[in-house]
Amino acid sequence: MTLNLSDYLIVLSSPRSIASESFRSLRTNIQAAMGDGLKSIAVVSSWGGEGKSMVCANLAAAFAQLFFEVVLVDCDLRRPTLSRLFGYDKHRGLAENLYEGGSVEDLIVQTDVRNLSFLPSGKVQGNPADILAGNRLGAALSELASKDKFVVVDTSPLSACSDALMIGTHVGGAVMVVNPERWRGDVEIRLKASLVNHNINVLGVILNGVDANEGSYGYGYGYGYGYGYGYGQGYGQGYGQKPAKKSWSIFPWSKKSK
Ligand SMILES: Nc1ncnc2c1ncn2[C@@H]1O[C@H](COP(=O)(O)OP(=O)(O)OP(=O)(O)O)[C@@H](O)[C@H]1O
Ligand SMILES: [Mg+2]
């Protein structure tokens, strides 16, 4: 499938859409949740295809619109969608930094979007978990954040590997994307608990693909679901951890609705 940057960056291509509005509101909520500690955030989810990369790119672009200097980091070393999307899938990037050390700043590229730069995934030899587990990942992410940049990190699905757990321990917070159509319940709750058990600050759950066109169903479902997940089931399961504090809905969009 050919990837198209403007299809992805809905906040730029269609700023008045309902989806863009939800990204702006997500941005505000993240700012409020993290205050001055707002330095880096990872976007995680249980399954592939739930919309992590899409949320990541749009969230990064939404922050860039506030004149934050934002670096989008493609830490999905298994399926580097964003590197392909931005046209840097053959470039050196995070992987090379993790192998070789040195400054990660040199590997950042500018994008066409104002205030938004990008760190490609680079080329992995062997298992991504091995390089993510080393101590260079933390150094790389904190180097970026220390340059007054807000760092937004894309990850691989939690059900497939523990990469996102390793990444999550090096960022200020994580948001978990959930697609209601993929929801199984037991798996998502367990994976969210494992984030919390790794001391990852789970800021909230993003319900991706809740259909705004279905009127009260869309809203009712989104709210009930998010509430049930964050406060009801998550808490009720007795993990002894704080549940996700918030849920936000990102509506699906299509070219027609732009
Ligand atoms: N709210 C939405 N409205 C319309 N299309 C969406 C929405 N969310 C995601 N998509 C589309 O769904 C597909 C999967 O999204 P994306 O690549 O962001 O998922 P992912 O979680 O990063 O998957 P992977 O784990 O495989 O990297 C993409 O084509 C994306 O454009
Ligand atoms: Mg992805």
Side-chain angles (χ1 to χ4, degrees):
M1 190 187 75
T2 329
L3 291 168
N4 181 327
L5 191 57
S6 69
D7 281 350
Y8 245 65
L9 293 181
I10 189 92
V11 291
L12 303 180
S13 61
S14 191
R16 286 165 185 266
S17 65
I18 203 166
S20 298
E21 190 48 55
S22 36
F23 278 113
R24 283 192 293 271
S25 122
L26 176 60
R27 177 183 69 190
T28 308
N29 277 273
I30 290 172
Q31 282 183 286
M34 298 189 74
D36 290 342
L38 185 71
K39 299 242 179 269
S40 56
I41 193 164
V43 178
V44 304
S45 84
S46 302
W47 311 106
E50 285 195 277
K52 289 176 294 300
S53 302
M54 182 276 307
V55 167
C56 238
N58 279 282
L59 198 56
F63 272 103
Q65 286 183 317
L66 287 187
F67 305 104
F68 277 82
E69 284 287 334
V70 182
V71 196
L72 181 58
V73 179
D74 192 354
C75 241
D76 186 347
L77 302 182
R78 293 164 198 265
R79 188 174 293 175
T81 306
L82 294 178
S83 298
R84 268 190 292 143
L85 186 70
F86 283 94
Y88 288 105
D89 48 336
K90 305 266 185 305
H91 282 63
R92 286 167 57 78
L94 178 67
E96 283 76 9
N97 177 262
L98 298 180
Y99 288 120
E100 299 163 16
S103 171
V104 73
E105 189 85 0
D106 304 341
L107 297 164
I108 290 179
V109 292
Q110 288 308 311
T111 71
D112 292 339
V113 181
R114 200 169 154 202
N115 302 318
L116 181 64
S117 53
F118 180 63
L119 178 61
S121 61
K123 191 167 186 305
V124 179
Q125 298 137 19
N127 191 336
D130 293 338
I131 48 172
L132 292 172
N135 55 10
R136 286 191 180 139
L137 177 65
L141 294 177
S142 48
E143 181 190 340
L144 296 177
S146 70
K147 301 265 156 66
D148 275 341
K149 292 186 171 157
F150 179 49
V151 183
V152 182
V153 184
D154 194 13
T155 63
S156 303
L158 281 157
S159 64
C161 58
S162 56
D163 297 6
L165 294 176
M166 294 186 267
I167 296 161
T169 57
H170 299 297
V171 289
V175 285
M176 187 168 185
V177 176
V178 171
N179 183 329
E181 284 178 12
R182 304 289 306 276
W183 173 258
R184 276 192 37 180
D186 55 337
V187 177
E188 290 84 353
I189 288 168
R190 180 170 52 77
L191 292 173
K192 195 220 131 201
S194 66
L195 291 166
V196 175
N197 288 336
H198 279 76
N199 290 324
I200 297 166
N201 180 15
V202 184
L203 298 171
V205 172
I206 297 170
L207 303 170
N208 186 32
V210 179
D211 197 344
N213 295 324
E214 293 189 21
S216 59
Y217 169 77
Y219 286 99
Y221 184 56
Y223 184 74
Y225 178 96
Y227 189 80
Y229 176 72
Y231 295 88
Q233 298 184 36
Y235 201 64
Q237 293 279 325
Y239 288 110
Q241 302 284 352
K242 271 201 206 153
K245 296 165 190 97
K246 280 250 174 209
S247 74
W248 304 280
S249 300
I250 306 288
F251 301 114
W253 65 83
S254 63
K255 280 185 189 156
K256 262 194 281 173
S257 67
K258 279 182 192 173

